[in-house]
Amino acid sequence: MFRILKSYSYLGEMKADNGTLLIGKAPHIAPLAWLHRIFAPLTNAQIDGLGIKLGMNIPSSYRNFLKHSNGLGVFNTNLCLYGLRTINNRTIEASYQPFDILDVNVLERPMNSKNSFLYIGSYSWDLSRLYIDADTNKVYLSSSRDNATPKYEWINFDTMLETEIKRIITLFDDKGVKVIKGSTLPV
């Protein structure tokens, strides 16, 4: 699925010092903006440490994803998948990191979350969140930033990621400009 995102490489591509792959310059968003960000993968030791900090085992599907990309940004922040943030300052290099998976799972966790929920991403449209229920491996779209009640579901993480990238790419033109009015959510 990264192949689909890399199809925007004709707009530019850069690898940051921390290993983040930036794809598709997006001056219509901001002078230094990129359409897609594929963050450098994590090691098994980093993933294990992340699980300890989260207080749960990371579901195997997301663990596998983190071995290939420590989070993801699709069409800037239209769809973001969270990862481990290692630099916490305001440098350009620090901006080439994912949103922190610890923040939403530890500090900003919706009150009606089950212990089996791992929050893995969000949509910039309304900040609704994506989570995996570790008991079922299903992925859910929450009804809002603060409410875990699902409004959409996928059978698993891989299906969610593939179908969402394919769906979202149809909402933008060949320069990464949104071509629809309104929501970019799957519902």
Side-chain angles (χ1 to χ4, degrees):
M1 80 215 54
F2 294 154
R3 175 182 44 79
I4 296 170
L5 301 179
K6 288 180 181 180
S7 71
Y8 282 82
S9 291
Y10 65 89
L11 296 173
E13 187 174 300
M14 182 180 98
K15 193 157 207 167
D17 291 342
N18 69 358
T20 297
L21 181 60
L22 304 165
I23 303 167
K25 286 186 177 184
H28 62 280
I29 298 171
L32 299 178
W34 294 86
L35 293 177
H36 310 303
R37 293 164 292 143
I38 301 173
F39 301 105
L42 296 178
T43 65
N44 283 327
Q46 287 173 310
I47 297 169
D48 291 342
L50 181 59
I52 291 167
K53 288 177 184 175
L54 289 166
M56 69 183 300
N57 289 324
I58 297 172
S60 61
S61 58
Y62 206 68
R63 184 179 179 88
N64 187 52
F65 170 75
L66 293 171
K67 290 180 184 179
H68 293 92
S69 178
N70 177 29
L72 186 66
V74 178
F75 287 103
N76 197 357
T77 58
N78 259 277
L79 171 63
C80 293
L81 296 179
Y82 306 147
L84 176 63
R85 194 167 177 88
T86 58
I87 302 171
N88 291 307
N89 60 38
R90 295 191 176 264
T91 63
I92 292 293
E93 196 65 25
S95 70
Y96 300 145
Q97 293 188 97
F99 291 117
D100 197 337
I101 197 168
L102 293 169
D103 285 348
V104 69
N105 283 284
V106 177
L107 303 174
E108 302 169 1
R109 193 170 181 83
M111 289 178 31
N112 63 333
S113 300
K114 292 182 182 176
N115 291 336
S116 60
F117 293 177
L118 175 66
Y119 289 87
I120 59 165
S122 60
Y123 291 86
S124 62
W125 176 258
D126 67 351
L127 302 178
S128 56
R129 298 191 169 150
L130 292 166
Y131 61 91
I132 298 174
D133 184 339
D135 290 342
T136 64
N137 288 316
K138 288 184 177 183
V139 175
Y140 296 92
L141 172 62
S142 68
S143 58
S144 74
R145 174 187 172 106
D146 301 318
N147 187 339
T149 303
K151 66 178 169 183
Y152 198 82
E153 74 177 63
W154 295 266
I155 187 108
N156 58 42
F157 175 77
D158 293 331
T159 298
M160 180 282 299
L161 187 56
E162 182 178 346
T163 59
E164 279 304 272
I165 288 175
K166 287 179 178 177
R167 182 188 67 78
I168 291 170
I169 210 163
T170 67
L171 308 178
F172 294 82
D173 70 14
D174 60 350
K175 291 192 170 123
V177 177
K178 190 171 142 187
V179 295
I180 63 155
K181 292 185 189 247
S183 174
T184 57
L185 296 175
V187 290

Coordinates of all heavy atoms in Angstrom, one line a residue, residues 56-143:
M56 N -0.2 -2.7 27.6 CA -0.9 -3.7 26.9 C 0.0 -4.3 25.8 O 0.9 -3.7 25.4 CB -2.2 -3.2 26.3 CG -2.0 -2.2 25.2 SD -3.6 -1.5 24.5 CE -4.5 -3.0 24.0
N57 N -0.4 -5.5 25.4 CA 0.3 -6.1 24.2 C -0.3 -5.4 23.0 O -1.5 -5.3 22.8 CB 0.0 -7.6 24.1 CG 0.8 -8.4 25.2 OD1 1.9 -8.0 25.6 ND2 0.1 -9.4 25.7
I58 N 0.6 -5.0 22.1 CA 0.2 -4.4 20.9 C -0.3 -5.5 19.9 O 0.4 -6.5 19.7 CB 1.3 -3.6 20.2 CG1 1.8 -2.4 21.2 CG2 1.0 -3.0 18.9 CD1 3.0 -1.7 20.8
P59 N -1.5 -5.4 19.4 CA -2.1 -6.4 18.5 C -1.1 -6.7 17.4 O -0.4 -5.8 16.9 CB -3.4 -5.8 18.0 CG -3.8 -4.9 19.1 CD -2.5 -4.3 19.6
S60 N -1.0 -8.0 17.0 CA 0.0 -8.4 16.0 C 0.0 -7.6 14.7 O 1.0 -7.3 14.1 CB 0.0 -9.9 15.8 OG -1.3 -10.2 15.2
S61 N -1.3 -7.2 14.3 CA -1.4 -6.5 13.0 C -0.7 -5.1 13.1 O -0.1 -4.7 12.1 CB -2.9 -6.4 12.6 OG -3.6 -5.7 13.6
Y62 N -0.9 -4.5 14.2 CA -0.3 -3.1 14.4 C 1.2 -3.2 14.7 O 2.0 -2.4 14.2 CB -1.0 -2.3 15.4 CG -0.9 -0.8 15.1 CD1 -1.5 -0.2 14.0 CD2 -0.1 0.0 15.9 CE1 -1.3 1.1 13.7 CE2 0.1 1.4 15.6 CZ -0.6 1.9 14.5 OH -0.4 3.2 14.2
R63 N 1.5 -4.3 15.4 CA 2.9 -4.5 15.7 C 3.7 -4.7 14.3 O 4.8 -4.1 14.1 CB 3.1 -5.8 16.5 CG 4.5 -6.1 17.0 CD 4.5 -7.3 17.9 NE 5.9 -7.6 18.2 CZ 6.5 -7.0 19.2 NH1 5.9 -6.2 20.1 NH2 7.8 -7.3 19.5
N64 N 3.1 -5.5 13.4 CA 3.7 -5.7 12.1 C 3.8 -4.4 11.3 O 4.8 -4.1 10.7 CB 2.9 -6.8 11.3 CG 3.6 -7.1 10.1 OD1 4.8 -7.5 10.1 ND2 2.9 -7.1 9.0
F65 N 2.8 -3.6 11.4 CA 2.8 -2.3 10.7 C 3.9 -1.4 11.3 O 4.7 -0.8 10.5 CB 1.4 -1.6 10.9 CG 1.5 -0.1 10.5 CD1 1.4 0.2 9.2 CD2 1.5 0.9 11.4 CE1 1.4 1.5 8.7 CE2 1.5 2.2 11.0 CZ 1.5 2.5 9.7
L66 N 4.1 -1.4 12.6 CA 5.2 -0.6 13.2 C 6.6 -1.0 12.8 O 7.5 -0.2 12.8 CB 5.1 -0.6 14.7 CG 3.8 0.2 15.3 CD1 3.7 -0.1 16.8 CD2 3.9 1.6 15.0
K67 N 6.7 -2.3 12.4 CA 8.0 -2.8 11.9 C 8.3 -2.3 10.5 O 9.4 -2.3 10.1 CB 8.0 -4.3 11.9 CG 8.0 -5.0 13.2 CD 8.0 -6.5 13.0 CE 7.9 -7.2 14.4 NZ 7.8 -8.7 14.2
H68 N 7.3 -1.7 9.8 CA 7.4 -1.2 8.5 C 7.3 0.3 8.5 O 7.9 1.0 7.6 CB 6.4 -1.8 7.5 CG 6.7 -3.2 7.3 ND1 6.0 -4.2 8.1 CD2 7.5 -3.9 6.4 CE1 6.5 -5.4 7.6 NE2 7.3 -5.2 6.7
S69 N 6.6 0.9 9.4 CA 6.4 2.3 9.5 C 5.9 2.7 10.9 O 4.9 2.2 11.3 CB 5.3 2.8 8.4 OG 5.1 4.2 8.5
N70 N 6.6 3.6 11.5 CA 6.2 4.1 12.9 C 5.2 5.1 12.7 O 5.3 6.3 13.1 CB 7.5 4.6 13.6 CG 7.2 5.2 14.9 OD1 6.3 4.8 15.6 ND2 8.0 6.2 15.3
G71 N 4.1 4.8 12.2 CA 3.0 5.7 11.9 C 3.0 6.2 10.5 O 3.9 5.8 9.7
L72 N 2.0 7.0 10.1 CA 1.8 7.3 8.7 C 0.9 8.6 8.7 O 0.0 8.8 9.5 CB 1.0 6.2 8.1 CG 0.8 6.2 6.6 CD1 2.1 6.1 5.8 CD2 -0.1 5.0 6.2
G73 N 1.2 9.4 7.7 CA 0.3 10.6 7.4 C -0.1 10.5 5.9 O 0.8 10.5 5.0
V74 N -1.4 10.4 5.6 CA -1.9 10.3 4.3 C -2.6 11.6 3.9 O -3.5 12.1 4.7 CB -2.8 9.1 4.2 CG1 -3.4 9.0 2.8 CG2 -2.1 7.8 4.5
F75 N -2.2 12.2 2.8 CA -2.7 13.5 2.4 C -2.6 14.5 3.6 O -3.6 14.9 4.1 CB -4.1 13.5 1.8 CG -4.1 12.9 0.4 CD1 -4.4 11.6 0.2 CD2 -3.6 13.6 -0.7 CE1 -4.4 11.0 -1.1 CE2 -3.5 13.1 -1.9 CZ -3.9 11.8 -2.1
N76 N -1.4 14.7 4.0 CA -1.0 15.6 5.1 C -1.6 14.9 6.4 O -1.0 13.9 6.9 CB -1.5 17.0 4.9 CG -0.8 18.0 5.9 OD1 0.0 17.6 6.7 ND2 -1.1 19.2 5.7
T77 N -2.7 15.4 7.0 CA -3.2 14.7 8.2 C -4.7 14.2 8.0 O -5.4 14.0 8.9 CB -3.2 15.7 9.4 OG1 -4.0 16.9 9.0 CG2 -1.8 16.1 9.8
N78 N -5.1 14.0 6.7 CA -6.4 13.5 6.5 C -6.6 12.2 7.2 O -7.7 11.9 7.8 CB -6.7 13.4 5.0 CG -7.5 14.5 4.5 OD1 -8.7 14.5 4.6 ND2 -6.8 15.5 4.0
L79 N -5.6 11.3 7.1 CA -5.6 10.1 7.8 C -4.2 10.0 8.5 O -3.2 10.0 7.8 CB -5.9 8.9 6.9 CG -5.6 7.5 7.6 CD1 -6.6 7.2 8.8 CD2 -5.8 6.4 6.6
C80 N -4.2 9.8 9.8 CA -2.9 9.7 10.5 C -3.0 8.4 11.3 O -4.0 8.1 11.9 CB -2.7 10.8 11.5 SG -2.5 12.4 10.7
L81 N -1.9 7.7 11.2 CA -1.7 6.5 12.1 C -0.6 6.8 13.1 O 0.4 7.4 12.7 CB -1.4 5.2 11.3 CG -2.5 4.8 10.4 CD1 -2.1 3.6 9.6 CD2 -3.8 4.5 11.1
Y82 N -0.8 6.6 14.3 CA 0.1 7.0 15.4 C 1.3 6.0 15.6 O 1.2 4.9 15.2 CB -0.7 7.0 16.7 CG -1.9 7.9 16.8 CD1 -3.0 7.5 17.6 CD2 -2.1 9.0 16.0 CE1 -4.1 8.2 17.6 CE2 -3.2 9.8 16.0 CZ -4.3 9.4 16.8 OH -5.4 10.1 16.9
G83 N 2.3 6.6 16.2 CA 3.5 5.8 16.5 C 4.2 6.3 17.7 O 3.6 7.1 18.5
L84 N 5.4 5.9 17.9 CA 6.2 6.3 19.0 C 7.0 7.6 18.6 O 7.8 7.7 17.7 CB 7.3 5.2 19.3 CG 8.3 5.5 20.4 CD1 7.5 5.8 21.8 CD2 9.3 4.4 20.5
R85 N 6.7 8.7 19.4 CA 7.4 9.9 19.2 C 8.6 10.0 20.1 O 8.6 9.7 21.3 CB 6.4 11.1 19.6 CG 6.9 12.4 19.1 CD 5.7 13.4 19.2 NE 6.2 14.7 18.8 CZ 6.2 15.2 17.5 NH1 5.7 14.4 16.6 NH2 6.7 16.4 17.2
T86 N 9.8 10.3 19.5 CA 11.1 10.2 20.2 C 11.7 11.6 20.4 O 12.6 11.7 21.3 CB 12.1 9.3 19.5 OG1 12.3 9.8 18.2 CG2 11.5 7.9 19.5
I87 N 11.3 12.6 19.7 CA 11.8 13.9 19.8 C 10.7 14.8 20.2 O 9.6 14.9 19.5 CB 12.4 14.4 18.5 CG1 13.6 13.5 18.0 CG2 13.0 15.8 18.7 CD1 14.1 13.8 16.6
N88 N 10.8 15.6 21.3 CA 9.7 16.5 21.7 C 10.2 17.9 21.8 O 10.3 18.5 22.9 CB 9.2 16.0 23.1 CG 8.4 14.7 22.9 OD1 7.5 14.6 22.1 ND2 8.8 13.7 23.7
N89 N 10.5 18.5 20.6 CA 10.9 19.9 20.6 C 10.3 20.5 19.3 O 9.5 19.8 18.7 CB 12.4 20.1 20.7 CG 13.2 19.4 19.5 OD1 12.7 19.4 18.4 ND2 14.3 18.9 19.8
R90 N 10.6 21.7 19.0 CA 9.9 22.4 17.9 C 10.8 22.5 16.7 O 10.7 23.5 15.9 CB 9.4 23.7 18.4 CG 8.3 23.6 19.4 CD 7.6 24.9 19.6 NE 6.5 24.7 20.5 CZ 5.2 24.5 20.1 NH1 4.9 24.5 18.9 NH2 4.3 24.4 21.0
T91 N 11.7 21.6 16.5 CA 12.6 21.7 15.3 C 11.9 21.1 14.1 O 10.9 20.4 14.2 CB 13.9 20.9 15.5 OG1 13.6 19.5 15.7 CG2 14.7 21.4 16.7
I92 N 12.4 21.4 12.9 CA 11.8 20.8 11.7 C 11.9 19.2 11.8 O 11.0 18.5 11.4 CB 12.6 21.3 10.4 CG1 12.3 22.7 10.2 CG2 12.2 20.4 9.2 CD1 10.9 23.1 9.8
E93 N 13.0 18.7 12.2 CA 13.2 17.3 12.4 C 12.2 16.7 13.3 O 11.6 15.6 13.0 CB 14.6 17.0 12.9 CG 15.1 15.5 12.7 CD 15.2 15.1 11.3 OE1 15.5 16.0 10.4 OE2 15.1 13.9 11.0
A94 N 11.8 17.4 14.3 CA 10.8 16.9 15.3 C 9.4 16.8 14.6 O 8.6 16.0 14.9 CB 10.7 17.7 16.5
S95 N 9.2 17.6 13.6 CA 7.9 17.6 12.9 C 7.8 16.4 12.0 O 6.7 16.1 11.5 CB 7.7 18.9 12.1 OG 8.6 19.0 11.0
Y96 N 8.9 15.7 11.7 CA 8.9 14.5 10.8 C 8.7 13.3 11.7 O 9.5 12.3 11.6 CB 10.1 14.5 10.0 CG 10.3 15.6 9.0 CD1 11.6 16.1 8.7 CD2 9.2 16.2 8.4 CE1 11.8 17.2 7.8 CE2 9.4 17.3 7.5 CZ 10.7 17.8 7.3 OH 10.8 18.8 6.4
Q97 N 7.8 13.3 12.6 CA 7.5 12.2 13.5 C 5.9 12.0 13.5 O 5.2 13.0 13.2 CB 7.9 12.5 14.9 CG 9.4 12.6 15.1 CD 9.7 12.7 16.6 OE1 10.0 11.7 17.2 NE2 9.6 13.9 17.1
P98 N 5.5 10.8 13.9 CA 4.1 10.6 14.0 C 3.5 11.3 15.2 O 4.2 11.7 16.1 CB 4.0 9.1 14.2 CG 5.3 8.7 14.9 CD 6.3 9.7 14.3
F99 N 2.1 11.4 15.2 CA 1.5 11.8 16.4 C 1.7 10.7 17.4 O 1.7 9.5 17.1 CB 0.0 12.0 16.2 CG -0.3 13.2 15.4 CD1 -0.9 13.1 14.1 CD2 0.0 14.5 15.8 CE1 -1.2 14.2 13.3 CE2 -0.3 15.6 15.1 CZ -0.9 15.5 13.8
D100 N 1.8 11.0 18.7 CA 2.2 10.1 19.7 C 1.1 9.1 20.1 O 0.0 9.6 20.6 CB 2.7 10.8 20.9 CG 3.6 10.0 21.9 OD1 3.4 8.7 21.9 OD2 4.4 10.5 22.6
I101 N 1.3 7.8 20.0 CA 0.3 6.8 20.3 C 0.1 6.8 21.8 O -1.0 6.4 22.3 CB 0.7 5.4 19.8 CG1 -0.5 4.5 19.8 CG2 1.9 4.9 20.5 CD1 -0.2 3.2 19.0
L102 N 1.0 7.2 22.6 CA 0.9 7.3 24.1 C -0.1 8.3 24.5 O -0.9 8.1 25.4 CB 2.2 7.5 24.7 CG 3.2 6.3 24.6 CD1 4.6 6.7 25.0 CD2 2.7 5.1 25.3
D103 N -0.1 9.5 23.9 CA -1.0 10.6 24.3 C -2.4 10.1 24.3 O -3.1 10.3 25.3 CB -0.8 11.8 23.3 CG 0.4 12.6 23.6 OD1 1.1 12.3 24.6 OD2 0.8 13.4 22.7
V104 N -2.9 9.6 23.2 CA -4.3 9.2 23.1 C -4.7 8.0 23.9 O -5.8 7.9 24.4 CB -4.7 9.0 21.6 CG1 -4.1 7.8 21.0 CG2 -6.2 9.0 21.5
N105 N -3.7 7.1 24.1 CA -4.0 5.9 24.9 C -3.9 6.1 26.4 O -4.5 5.3 27.1 CB -3.2 4.7 24.4 CG -3.7 4.2 23.1 OD1 -4.7 3.5 23.0 ND2 -3.1 4.6 22.0
V106 N -3.1 7.0 26.8 CA -2.8 7.2 28.2 C -3.4 8.5 28.7 O -4.2 8.5 29.7 CB -1.3 7.2 28.5 CG1 -1.0 7.5 30.0 CG2 -0.7 5.9 28.0
L107 N -3.2 9.6 28.0 CA -3.6 10.9 28.5 C -5.0 11.4 28.1 O -5.7 12.1 28.8 CB -2.6 12.0 28.1 CG -1.1 11.8 28.6 CD1 -0.2 12.8 28.0 CD2 -1.1 11.7 30.1
E108 N -5.4 11.0 26.8 CA -6.6 11.5 26.2 C -7.6 10.4 25.9 O -8.5 10.5 25.1 CB -6.3 12.2 24.9 CG -5.3 13.4 25.1 CD -4.8 13.9 23.8 OE1 -5.2 13.4 22.7 OE2 -4.0 14.8 23.8
R109 N -7.5 9.3 26.6 CA -8.4 8.1 26.4 C -9.8 8.4 26.6 O -10.2 8.9 27.7 CB -7.9 7.0 27.2 CG -8.4 5.7 26.9 CD -7.7 4.6 27.7 NE -8.1 3.3 27.3 CZ -7.7 2.6 26.3 NH1 -6.8 3.1 25.5 NH2 -8.2 1.4 26.0
P110 N -10.7 8.2 25.6 CA -12.2 8.4 25.9 C -12.6 7.5 27.1 O -12.2 6.4 27.3 CB -12.8 7.9 24.6 CG -11.8 8.1 23.6 CD -10.5 7.8 24.3
M111 N -13.5 8.1 27.9 CA -14.0 7.4 29.1 C -14.7 6.1 28.9 O -14.7 5.2 29.7 CB -14.9 8.4 29.9 CG -14.0 9.5 30.5 SD -14.9 10.8 31.5 CE -16.3 9.9 32.2
N112 N -15.4 6.0 27.7 CA -16.1 4.7 27.5 C -15.3 3.7 26.7 O -15.8 2.8 26.1 CB -17.4 5.0 26.8 CG -17.3 5.6 25.4 OD1 -16.3 6.3 25.1 ND2 -18.2 5.4 24.6
S113 N -13.9 3.8 26.8 CA -13.0 2.8 26.2 C -12.9 1.5 27.0 O -12.8 1.6 28.2 CB -11.6 3.4 26.0 OG -11.7 4.6 25.3
K114 N -12.9 0.4 26.3 CA -12.6 -0.8 27.0 C -11.0 -1.0 27.1 O -10.3 -0.3 26.4 CB -13.1 -2.0 26.2 CG -14.6 -2.1 26.1 CD -15.0 -3.4 25.3 CE -16.5 -3.5 25.2 NZ -16.8 -4.7 24.4
N115 N -10.6 -1.8 28.1 CA -9.1 -2.0 28.2 C -8.5 -2.6 27.0 O -7.3 -2.5 26.8 CB -8.9 -2.9 29.4 CG -9.2 -2.1 30.7 OD1 -9.2 -0.9 30.8 ND2 -9.4 -2.9 31.8
S116 N -9.3 -3.3 26.2 CA -8.8 -3.9 25.0 C -8.6 -3.0 23.8 O -8.2 -3.4 22.7 CB -9.7 -5.1 24.6 OG -11.0 -4.6 24.3
F117 N -9.0 -1.7 23.9 CA -8.9 -0.8 22.8 C -7.6 -0.2 22.7 O -7.1 0.4 23.7 CB -10.0 0.3 22.9 CG -11.4 -0.1 22.8 CD1 -12.4 0.9 23.0 CD2 -11.8 -1.4 22.5 CE1 -13.7 0.5 22.9 CE2 -13.1 -1.7 22.4 CZ -14.1 -0.8 22.6
L118 N -7.0 -0.2 21.5 CA -5.7 0.5 21.3 C -6.0 1.5 20.2 O -6.4 1.2 19.1 CB -4.6 -0.5 20.8 CG -3.3 0.2 20.4 CD1 -2.6 0.9 21.6 CD2 -2.4 -0.8 19.7
Y119 N -5.9 2.8 20.6 CA -6.1 3.9 19.6 C -4.9 4.0 18.7 O -3.8 4.2 19.2 CB -6.4 5.2 20.4 CG -7.8 5.1 21.0 CD1 -8.0 4.5 22.3 CD2 -8.9 5.5 20.3 CE1 -9.2 4.4 22.9 CE2 -10.2 5.3 20.9 CZ -10.3 4.8 22.1 OH -11.6 4.7 22.7
I120 N -5.2 3.9 17.4 CA -4.0 3.9 16.5 C -4.0 5.0 15.5 O -3.0 5.2 14.7 CB -4.1 2.5 15.7 CG1 -5.4 2.4 14.9 CG2 -3.8 1.4 16.6 CD1 -5.4 1.3 13.9
G121 N -5.1 5.8 15.4 CA -5.0 6.9 14.4 C -6.2 7.8 14.5 O -7.1 7.7 15.4
S122 N -6.3 8.7 13.5 CA -7.4 9.7 13.5 C -7.5 10.3 12.1 O -6.6 10.2 11.3 CB -7.2 10.8 14.5 OG -6.0 11.5 14.3
Y123 N -8.7 11.0 11.9 CA -8.9 11.7 10.7 C -9.0 13.2 11.1 O -9.6 13.6 12.1 CB -10.3 11.3 10.1 CG -10.4 9.9 9.6 CD1 -10.6 8.8 10.4 CD2 -10.2 9.7 8.2 CE1 -10.7 7.6 9.9 CE2 -10.2 8.4 7.7 CZ -10.5 7.4 8.6 OH -10.6 6.1 8.0
S124 N -8.4 14.0 10.2 CA -8.3 15.4 10.5 C -9.7 16.1 10.3 O -9.9 17.2 10.9 CB -7.3 16.2 9.7 OG -7.6 16.0 8.3
W125 N -10.6 15.4 9.6 CA -11.9 16.1 9.3 C -12.6 16.5 10.6 O -13.1 17.6 10.7 CB -12.8 15.1 8.5 CG -14.1 15.7 8.2 CD1 -15.3 15.3 8.9 CD2 -14.5 16.8 7.4 NE1 -16.3 16.1 8.5 CE2 -15.8 17.0 7.5 CE3 -13.7 17.5 6.5 CZ2 -16.5 18.0 6.8 CZ3 -14.4 18.5 5.7 CH2 -15.8 18.7 5.9
D126 N -12.7 15.5 11.5 CA -13.4 15.8 12.8 C -12.7 15.3 14.0 O -13.2 15.3 15.1 CB -14.8 15.2 12.7 CG -14.8 13.7 12.7 OD1 -13.8 13.1 12.6 OD2 -15.9 13.1 12.9
L127 N -11.4 14.8 13.8 CA -10.6 14.3 14.9 C -11.2 13.0 15.4 O -10.7 12.5 16.5 CB -10.3 15.3 16.0 CG -9.7 16.6 15.5 CD1 -9.5 17.5 16.7 CD2 -8.3 16.3 14.8
S128 N -12.1 12.3 14.7 CA -12.6 11.0 15.2 C -11.4 10.1 15.1 O -10.5 10.2 14.3 CB -13.7 10.5 14.4 OG -13.4 10.5 13.0
R129 N -11.4 9.0 16.0 CA -10.3 8.2 16.1 C -10.5 6.8 15.6 O -11.6 6.3 15.6 CB -9.9 8.2 17.6 CG -9.5 9.5 18.1 CD -8.9 9.5 19.4 NE -8.3 10.9 19.6 CZ -8.2 11.4 20.8 NH1 -8.6 10.8 21.9 NH2 -7.7 12.6 20.9
L130 N -9.4 6.1 15.3 CA -9.4 4.7 14.9 C -8.9 3.9 16.1 O -7.9 4.4 16.7 CB -8.5 4.5 13.7 CG -9.0 5.1 12.4 CD1 -7.9 5.1 11.3 CD2 -10.2 4.3 11.9
Y131 N -9.5 2.8 16.3 CA -8.9 1.9 17.4 C -9.1 0.4 17.0 O -10.0 0.1 16.2 CB -9.5 2.2 18.7 CG -11.0 2.0 18.9 CD1 -11.5 0.7 19.3 CD2 -11.8 3.0 18.7 CE1 -12.8 0.6 19.5 CE2 -13.2 2.8 18.9 CZ -13.7 1.6 19.2 OH -15.1 1.4 19.4
I132 N -8.1 -0.4 17.5 CA -8.2 -1.8 17.3 C -8.7 -2.4 18.6 O -8.2 -2.0 19.7 CB -6.8 -2.4 17.0 CG1 -6.3 -1.9 15.7 CG2 -6.9 -4.0 17.0 CD1 -4.8 -2.4 15.4
D133 N -9.7 -3.2 18.6 CA -10.1 -4.0 19.7 C -9.3 -5.2 19.8 O -9.4 -6.1 18.9 CB -11.6 -4.3 19.7 CG -12.1 -5.0 20.9 OD1 -11.3 -5.6 21.7 OD2 -13.3 -5.0 21.2
A134 N -8.4 -5.3 20.7 CA -7.4 -6.5 20.8 C -8.1 -7.8 21.0 O -7.6 -8.8 20.7 CB -6.4 -6.2 21.9
D135 N -9.4 -7.8 21.5 CA -10.1 -9.0 21.7 C -10.7 -9.6 20.4 O -10.9 -10.8 20.3 CB -11.3 -8.7 22.7 CG -10.9 -8.5 24.1 OD1 -9.7 -8.8 24.4 OD2 -11.7 -7.9 24.9
T136 N -11.0 -8.7 19.4 CA -11.6 -9.2 18.2 C -10.7 -8.9 17.0 O -10.9 -9.5 15.9 CB -12.9 -8.5 17.9 OG1 -12.6 -7.1 17.7 CG2 -13.9 -8.7 19.1
N137 N -9.7 -8.1 17.1 CA -8.8 -7.6 16.0 C -9.5 -6.7 15.0 O -9.0 -6.3 14.0 CB -8.1 -8.7 15.3 CG -7.0 -9.3 16.2 OD1 -6.2 -8.5 16.8 ND2 -6.9 -10.6 16.3
K138 N -10.8 -6.4 15.3 CA -11.5 -5.4 14.4 C -11.0 -4.0 14.6 O -10.6 -3.7 15.7 CB -13.0 -5.5 14.6 CG -13.7 -6.8 14.1 CD -15.2 -6.7 14.3 CE -15.8 -7.9 13.7 NZ -17.3 -7.9 13.8
V139 N -11.1 -3.2 13.6 CA -10.8 -1.8 13.7 C -12.1 -1.0 13.6 O -12.9 -1.3 12.8 CB -9.8 -1.4 12.6 CG1 -9.5 0.1 12.6 CG2 -8.5 -2.1 12.7
Y140 N -12.1 0.0 14.5 CA -13.3 0.8 14.5 C -13.0 2.3 14.4 O -11.9 2.8 14.8 CB -14.0 0.7 15.9 CG -14.5 -0.7 16.2 CD1 -13.7 -1.6 16.8 CD2 -15.8 -1.1 15.7 CE1 -14.2 -2.9 17.0 CE2 -16.3 -2.4 15.9 CZ -15.5 -3.3 16.6 OH -15.9 -4.6 16.8
L141 N -13.9 3.0 13.8 CA -13.9 4.5 13.7 C -14.8 5.0 14.8 O -16.0 4.6 14.9 CB -14.4 5.0 12.4 CG -14.6 6.5 12.2 CD1 -13.3 7.2 12.4 CD2 -15.2 6.8 10.9
S142 N -14.3 5.8 15.8 CA -15.1 6.3 16.9 C -16.1 7.3 16.4 O -15.8 8.0 15.4 CB -14.2 6.8 18.0 OG -13.6 8.0 17.6
S143 N -17.1 7.5 17.2 CA -18.1 8.5 16.8 C -17.6 10.0 17.0 O -18.1 10.9 16.4 CB -19.4 8.3 17.5 OG -19.2 8.3 18.9

